[in-house]
């Protein structure tokens, strides 16, 4: 059985040897052009005229196209309000104004300097507060509530209130946005894209070029990282490269460089959350009210769903009897913010974890104790939106990690250390993740798979899942190999393509393996059922290759099993090699390909009421982190992190451990060093690796212990596994709370002001004040 084993990532060796093909590794085709875009020079303004004559004269420039060349200039993941190329109002700095096709990149750079724009500048809105003041929102107010918050707040022994602010985050995938287009006969076009969402890319390309969907095929071999940044935002680039290819009838590619990518694409949403909390003497939360405001940037993109997920994660891992959660997306003149690992979950979760840290300090108790008091446990396990937390593993995880991390002893050591050290500070904290698995937009919880079995017994699987490093292809490979009892080397997962799998959802919401893995398993089982029937007939009647057989689905054939590349009849003890059986089936004209569809059952969240089954299940985990802070520079080291994750019955523990450690470190980056800096006119100043700091190997915890909880209860997911991609991201937050804990120990009056990210400057300022 390959399922549950540490099968190496299917691209591991070719990534290391450099043989893996990314978009820009594709050999140039005959006549292939390169493309680039011109970004707007202001963050808000009316574009009155574009003059391209001089630029067109640059040697090597083949064409310059504007919104006038597009059949349809509007796209959007939720609301179709976003121009592919500016046609009237420039809404953020660097917004694409026109696209240039040329023989080489130098010509594009020269042309950009010669394009003349007439712009009438308009005052910009650049922060959440100004948007709130102007009532300038991208969405209507959303609400989730239970009980009576006001009453709880008035009658509680203790109350606190405050504002929690978090910054954005750049995805920093190693491969920037990239796409290529090949014009074909009869107006067909083939798009290769670094996209998490080939179907949407196909649709946006078709709509913008005035084509039907059947004229466009979008292929995704792999991405060099996506992290949510390529869920919606790959599509408009594909339109631009498609436009050049279609207009000039030549193949084209568009590879965005790092600086341009960072300036033009959306990031994680900054939030400003206003909260109030009521609690008793023991720290039990009686009521919680939070008003979330996210910075959506210039356009809606996925912001509405991201806000919703933030609201659905505002309870964190904690049961709160009286809750009121309100949310709104602010419109500002920056890049349109988008999906990023966690999809709003981290922002909602970070707020409640921060509030708990404040409750603990106020009551002069250890925050671990406050978390123990409030964690989902006991009789009522309903979330504020009414979903039951089933097979709840949270209390078990908290209890186990307290022991495995040696929390009590280390807490005492931290207190002692802070009394004696003149130069450094320590802090320690536990935080949790209870991440809801499913797209909150119900219709997206569907997938289809195509499985082709060849005569030599090897299999090609095609699904809508896209590989971005997370290992979905390897898991699908294991699922198919496991179904037929063959080695994974006999299964090849094919490039994702809209001509094999249609109407697919983005590979997102951590559910790529859940959905596509299940569809794959169903398709495999359909083929297996036919093969089983063939074998049964063969056993009983001595079927000759020339006979025709009827496939009989009515008998119980569970005694026939697929194992070790053989098909075995456990009743008679007879067996046949899979390859031989395939040959018999083929000669008897039995299909060995199949297609299957899967939709997650039981989902139903009523957005208007803020109630219902939003998720299929929860992926849970907890982390304890300890930090050491230099009092004079604010420099922070993570001394030790212990993580315990409940991933159900992991399909591939090795890959999952990689996901947990990677997500944690990315989460840690968000809460510490990653700081987006804008000028006061809305220009992103931190747009390269020299000015934007992601965590390096030096920043990972000096001692890093990751464990998986044993849990066989998740019967609603393929092979009882659980999704892993995003949930551990939220645990990076334990580092932030450990920093907050450290600041409390010397500057209690300042600790509640700690912003996220807690950069060195931020920490040193709070310690100095
Ligand atoms: N891991 C790697 N190496 N690269 C990525 O881009 N994206 C993350 C996560 N893990 C990502 C990753 C995000 S945002 C999601 S939603 C999931 O992978 C998507 O894949 P899955 O649904 O197959 O887990
Ligand atoms: N998560 C991630 N991506 C999404 C979602 C979601 O819930 N909904 C739409 N895109
Ligand atoms: Mo992940 S943010 O759902 O692509």
């Amino acid at each position: 059985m390959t399922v549950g084993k540490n099968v190496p990532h299917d691209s591991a060796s070719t990534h290391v040897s450099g043989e893996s093909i990314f978009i820009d590794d594709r050999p140039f085709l005959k006549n292939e052009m390169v493309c680039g875009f011109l970004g707007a020079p202001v963050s808000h303004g009316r574009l009155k005229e574009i003059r391209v004559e001089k630029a067109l004269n640059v040697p090597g420039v083949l064409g310059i196209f504007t919104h006038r060349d597009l059949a349809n200039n509007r796209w959007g993941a939720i609301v179709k309000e976003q121009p592919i190329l500016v046609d009237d109002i420039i809404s953020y700095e660097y917004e694409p104004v026109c696209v240039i096709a040329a023989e080489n990149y130098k010509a594009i750079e020269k042309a950009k300097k010669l394009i003349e724009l007439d712009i009438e500048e308009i005052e910009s809105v650049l922060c959440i507060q100004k948007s709130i003041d102007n009532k300038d929102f991208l969405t209507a107010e959303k609400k989730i509530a239970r009980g009576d918050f006001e009453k709880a707040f008035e009658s509680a022994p203790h109350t606190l209130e405050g504002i929690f602010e978090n910054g954005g985050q750049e995805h920093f995938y190693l491969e920037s946005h990239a796409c290529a287009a090949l014009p074909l006969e009869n107006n067909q076009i083939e798009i290769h894209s670094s996209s998490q969402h080939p179907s949407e890319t196909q649709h946006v390309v078709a709509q913008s070029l005035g084509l039907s969907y059947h004229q466009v095929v979008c292929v995704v071999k792999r991405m060099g990282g996506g992290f949510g940044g390529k869920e919606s935002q790959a599509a408009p680039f594909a339109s631009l490269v498609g436009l050049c290819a279609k207009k000039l009838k030549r193949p084209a590619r568009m590879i965005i460089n790092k600086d341009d990518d960072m300036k033009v694409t959306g990031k994680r949403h900054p939030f400003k959350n206003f909260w109030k909390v009521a609690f008793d003497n023991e720290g039990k939360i009686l009521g919680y009210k939070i008003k979330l405001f996210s910075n959506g940037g210039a356009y809606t993109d996925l912001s509405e769903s991201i806000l919703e997920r933030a609201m659905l994660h505002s309870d964190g891992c904690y049961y709160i009897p009286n809750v009121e959660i309100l949310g709104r997306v602010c419109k500002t003149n920056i890049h349109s913010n988008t999906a990023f690992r966690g999809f709003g979950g981290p922002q909602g979760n970070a707020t409640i974890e921060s509030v708990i840290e404040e409750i603990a300090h106020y009551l002069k108790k250890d925050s671990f104790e406050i978390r123990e008091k409030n964690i989902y446990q006991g009789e009522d396990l309903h979330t504020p939106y009414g979903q039951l937390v089933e097979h709840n593993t949270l209390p078990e995880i908290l209890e186990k990690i307290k022991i495995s991390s040696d929390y009590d002893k280390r807490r005492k050591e931290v207190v002692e250390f802070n009394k004696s050290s003149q130069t450094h500070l320590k802090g320690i904290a536990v935080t949790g993740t209870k991440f809801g698995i499913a797209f909150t937009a119900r219709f997206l919880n569907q997938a289809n798979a195509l499985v082709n079995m060849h005569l030599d017994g090897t299999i090609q699987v095609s699904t809508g899942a896209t590989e971005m490093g997370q290992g979905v292809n390897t898991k699908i490979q294991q699922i198919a190999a496991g179904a037929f009892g063959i080695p994974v080397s006999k299964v090849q997962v094919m490039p994702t393509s809209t001509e094999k799998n249609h109407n697919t959802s983005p590979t997102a919401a951590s559910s790529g393996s859940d959905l596509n893995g299940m569809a794959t398993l169903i398709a495999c089982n359909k083929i297996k059922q036919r093969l089983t029937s063939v074998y049964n007939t063969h056993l009983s009647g001595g079927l000759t290759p020339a006979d025709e057989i009827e496939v009989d689905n009515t008998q119980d054939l569970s005694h026939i099993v697929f194992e070790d590349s053989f098909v075995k009849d456990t009743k008679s003890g007879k067996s046949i090699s899979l390859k031989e059986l395939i040959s018999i089936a083929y000669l008897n004209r039995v299909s060995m390909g199949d297609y299957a569809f899967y939709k997650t059952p039981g989902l139903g969240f009523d957005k208007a009421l803020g109630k219902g089954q939003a998720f299929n299940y929860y992926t849970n985990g907890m982390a304890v982190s300890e930090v050491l802070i230099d009092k004079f520079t604010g420099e922070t080291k993570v001394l030790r992190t212990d993580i315990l994750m409940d991933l159900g019955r992991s399909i591939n523990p090795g890959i999952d451990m990689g996901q947990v450690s990677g997500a944690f470190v990315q989460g840690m980056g968000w809460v510490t060093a990653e700081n987006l800096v804008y000028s006061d006119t809305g220009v992103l100043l931190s747009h390269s690796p020299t000015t934007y700091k992601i965590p390096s190997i030096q920043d990972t915890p000096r001692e890093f212990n990751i464990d998986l909880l044993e849990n066989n209860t998740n019967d609603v997911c393929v092979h009882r596994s659980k999704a892993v991609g995003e949930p551990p991201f939220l645990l990076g937050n334990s580092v932030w709370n450990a920093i907050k804990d450290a600041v409390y120990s010397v500057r209690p009056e300042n600790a509640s002001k700690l912003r996220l990210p807690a950069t060195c400057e931020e920490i040193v300022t709070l310690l100095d004040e």
Side-chain angles (χ1 to χ4, degrees):
M1 189 66 176
T2 64
V3 172
K5 295 268 155 44
N6 285 336
V7 173
H9 192 288
D10 78 332
S11 298
S13 64
T14 53
H15 276 6
V16 174
S17 67
E19 287 162 278
S20 296
I21 300 285
F22 295 83
I23 302 282
D24 204 21
D25 295 323
R26 298 162 55 79
F28 270 87
L29 299 170
K30 187 174 163 223
N31 265 338
E32 185 166 338
M33 316 176 284
V34 292
C35 307
F37 70 90
L38 175 73
V42 302
S43 59
H44 202 190
R46 185 177 294 279
L47 179 62
K48 299 201 312 200
E49 212 184 318
I50 312 171
R51 282 185 298 276
V52 300
E53 295 76 20
K54 285 182 198 156
L56 275 172
N57 287 331
V58 172
V61 168
L62 300 165
I64 300 177
F65 305 105
T66 69
H67 67 94
R68 290 197 187 85
D69 298 295
L70 287 163
N72 170 19
N73 190 32
R74 286 288 180 280
W75 76 285
I78 299 176
V79 186
K80 301 212 182 317
E81 101 272 45
Q82 183 157 353
I84 293 168
L85 291 170
V86 177
D87 45 21
D88 178 23
I89 301 294
I90 295 166
S91 297
Y92 66 95
E93 205 255 351
Y94 230 66
E95 184 169 10
V97 170
C98 55
V99 59
I100 305 151
E103 300 285 3
N104 55 64
Y105 289 108
K106 270 197 181 141
I108 293 178
E109 289 314 310
K110 269 193 192 151
K112 279 191 198 172
K113 296 197 180 83
L114 296 173
I115 296 172
E116 296 161 328
L117 306 176
D118 285 351
I119 297 168
E120 188 184 300
E121 277 201 64
I122 306 171
E123 200 196 333
S124 298
V125 173
L126 296 169
C127 69
I128 292 178
Q129 194 53 53
K130 191 153 176 206
S131 151
I132 297 174
D133 296 344
N134 293 356
K135 298 191 172 52
D136 208 353
F137 301 111
L138 287 165
T139 61
E141 188 170 78
K142 286 179 183 291
K143 183 174 175 177
I144 295 173
R146 164 173 70 191
D148 189 339
F149 167 78
E150 294 304 336
K151 202 169 137 202
F153 196 75
E154 273 156 31
S155 57
H158 308 284
T159 62
L160 285 172
E161 55 191 285
I163 299 171
F164 176 85
E165 282 184 86
N166 71 261
Q169 187 179 22
E170 160 60 36
H171 299 86
F172 226 96
Y173 27 63
L174 288 184
E175 179 203 32
S176 297
H177 277 279
C179 44
L182 178 63
L184 300 166
E185 60 195 57
N186 283 332
N187 268 328
Q188 294 177 66
I189 191 160
E190 186 178 301
I191 300 284
H192 292 258
S193 167
S194 182
S195 167
Q196 289 174 244
H197 200 346
S199 286
E200 184 173 53
T201 302
Q202 171 203 18
H203 300 168
V204 173
V205 168
Q207 286 161 13
S208 61
L209 302 186
L211 300 172
S212 301
Y213 292 178
H214 73 318
Q215 292 173 298
V216 182
V217 171
C218 176
V219 183
V220 177
K221 168 65 186 160
R222 61 162 60 81
M223 280 158 277
F227 305 112
K230 296 170 182 173
E231 178 173 340
S232 58
Q233 301 203 349
F237 294 119
S239 280
L240 294 180
V241 80
L243 176 65
C244 295
K246 184 164 180 281
K247 283 277 175 190
L248 299 167
K249 298 190 168 50
R250 287 172 64 166
R253 73 175 60 187
M254 180 146 89
I255 312 298
I256 314 292
N257 69 38
K258 194 72 195 166
D259 289 63
D260 284 358
D261 188 293
M262 287 179 78
K263 286 190 227 169
V264 72
T265 62
K267 324 208 175 293
R268 182 181 298 285
H269 288 66
F271 274 67
K272 183 169 188 175
N273 301 335
F274 299 81
W275 57 266
K276 287 180 173 180
V277 68
F279 48 98
D280 69 13
N281 295 331
E282 301 306 309
K284 179 103 192 62
I285 300 177
L286 305 170
Y288 180 53
K289 177 171 177 168
I290 177 169
K291 256 184 125 156
L292 302 105
F293 292 94
S294 73
N295 186 344
Y299 302 103
T300 310
D301 192 271
L302 291 160
S303 297
E304 195 172 344
S305 296
I306 291 161
L307 173 75
E308 190 167 74
R309 188 171 278 271
M311 294 170 69
L312 291 165
H313 286 76
S314 288
D315 59 336
C317 299
Y318 312 106
Y319 176 81
I320 308 169
N322 301 289
V323 227
E324 207 178 311
I325 304 163
L326 302 161
R328 205 107 198 235
V329 179
C330 296
K331 181 175 159 93
T332 60
N333 296 108
I334 59 167
H335 44 69
S336 179
N337 284 326
T338 191
F340 194 146
R341 207 172 196 168
F343 205 76
Q347 293 94 323
N349 188 75
T351 312
I352 186 73
E353 292 289 10
S354 169
V355 169
I356 288 192
E357 218 56 47
E358 304 212 1
I359 294 173
H361 171 74
Y362 175 91
L363 292 174
K364 303 203 165 26
K365 287 182 187 292
D366 190 327
S367 59
F368 205 112
E369 194 186 319
I370 309 297
R371 290 183 170 95
E372 284 174 321
K373 287 243 153 59
N374 290 290
I375 199 156
Y376 278 97
Q377 61 196 325
E379 298 282 286
D380 193 353
L381 294 174
H382 286 92
T383 62
Y385 45 96
Q387 173 157 358
L388 181 66
V389 181
E390 286 180 276
H391 307 300
N392 176 26
T393 50
L394 289 166
E396 184 187 349
I397 296 174
L398 192 62
E399 193 185 322
K400 286 197 162 141
I401 205 161
K402 190 173 194 177
I403 296 162
S404 65
S405 69
D406 214 358
Y407 181 85
D408 286 335
K409 178 166 161 261
R410 285 166 63 208
R411 161 60 70 196
K412 287 194 191 104
E413 287 167 2
V414 165
V415 172
E416 286 310 310
F417 180 90
N418 287 345
K419 278 186 198 152
S420 58
S421 174
Q422 300 295 306
T423 55
H424 288 79
L425 266 180
K426 281 188 178 179
I428 188 167
V430 65
T431 64
T433 179
K434 172 184 123 291
F435 199 81
I437 303 301
F439 287 95
T440 54
R442 191 173 76 138
F443 71 92
L444 292 174
N445 296 286
Q446 57 172 304
N448 59 76
L450 175 68
V451 175
N452 291 333
M453 184 169 235
H454 298 280
L455 287 179
D456 63 353
T458 61
I459 294 175
Q460 290 174 324
V461 184
S462 306
T463 74
T466 56
E467 177 63 49
M468 59 194 102
Q470 86 278 36
V472 68
N473 282 2
T474 312
K475 290 181 179 176
I476 289 175
Q477 199 183 21
Q478 288 175 270
I479 289 167
F484 288 103
I486 55 177
V488 282
S489 59
K490 302 274 182 197
V491 179
Q492 181 65 52
V493 177
M494 303 306 288
T496 317
S497 162
T498 55
E499 75 182 315
K500 290 175 293 178
N501 303 95
H502 64 302
N503 302 341
T504 55
S505 296
T507 308
S510 301
S511 58
S513 308
D514 287 24
L515 296 169
N516 296 283
M518 197 63 117
T520 300
L521 186 59
I522 298 169
C524 290
N525 284 339
K526 285 160 88 175
I527 301 169
K528 268 176 77 177
Q529 198 175 23
R530 287 196 293 272
L531 286 175
T532 306
S533 179
V534 170
Y535 186 45
N536 193 49
T537 315
H538 175 73
L539 279 175
S540 58
L543 191 73
T544 69
D547 289 342
E548 289 287 321
I549 66 146
E550 288 293 320
V551 172
D552 179 4
N553 287 335
T554 58
Q555 301 182 54
D556 174 18
L557 298 176
S558 57
H559 55 95
I560 294 176
V561 297
F562 289 63
E563 262 174 27
D564 305 325
S565 303
F566 276 81
V567 181
K568 301 175 185 168
D569 175 17
T570 53
K571 269 190 194 159
S572 66
K574 288 186 180 162
S575 68
I576 188 171
S577 78
L578 179 62
K579 213 167 141 182
E580 201 182 332
L581 180 59
I582 290 169
S583 161
I584 294 172
Y586 173 70
L587 294 172
N588 282 281
R589 297 192 287 184
V590 173
S591 164
M592 268 159 312
D594 224 317
Y595 167 88
F597 178 78
Y598 174 71
K599 57 178 178 180
T600 314
L603 297 173
F605 177 67
D606 186 324
K607 288 170 193 278
L609 286 178
K611 286 266 180 268
Q613 187 82 6
F615 304 114
N616 189 23
Y617 61 89
Y618 297 94
T619 293
N620 302 320
M622 300 250 155
V624 175
S625 290
E626 181 182 344
V627 297
L628 177 72
I629 299 171
D630 182 317
K631 282 188 189 175
F632 305 107
T633 62
E635 191 195 351
T636 303
K637 277 196 172 66
V638 182
L639 296 177
R640 175 172 164 184
T641 292
D642 293 77
I643 295 177
L644 182 57
M645 284 300 297
D646 164 18
L647 300 178
R649 227 154 60 179
S650 170
I651 290 175
N652 188 324
I655 282 180
D656 285 355
M657 293 291 254
Q659 285 292 298
V660 175
S661 51
F664 174 84
V665 170
Q666 199 170 32
M668 199 185 86
W670 173 53
V671 303
T672 56
E674 295 186 42
N675 197 19
L676 293 162
V677 181
Y678 299 83
S679 77
D680 53 14
T681 56
V683 177
L684 179 66
L685 301 173
S686 49
H687 56 73
S688 83
T690 53
T691 44
Y692 186 80
K693 187 182 180 308
I694 61 167
S696 72
I697 193 73
Q698 290 288 340
D699 298 306
T700 58
R702 294 297 148 108
E703 188 183 336
F704 200 5
N705 306 310
I706 304 173
D707 260 321
L708 304 184
L709 186 82
E710 251 190 61
N711 177 13
N712 291 334
T713 60
N714 197 36
D715 51 12
V716 291
C717 189
V718 60
H719 292 305
R720 300 195 171 213
S721 63
K722 283 194 175 189
V724 64
E726 296 166 284
F729 181 97
L730 279 64
L731 298 177
N733 197 228
S734 58
V735 172
W736 189 85
N737 281 272
I739 295 170
K740 186 157 169 148
D741 175 59
V743 179
Y744 263 129
S745 66
V746 288
R747 284 279 181 278
E749 69 283 9
N750 281 351
S752 65
K753 290 188 226 159
L754 185 69
R755 283 188 71 253
L756 186 162
T759 57
C760 303
E761 300 92 309
E762 173 77 12
I763 295 170
V764 98
T765 308
L766 290 185
L767 293 182
D768 269 3
E769 254 177 27

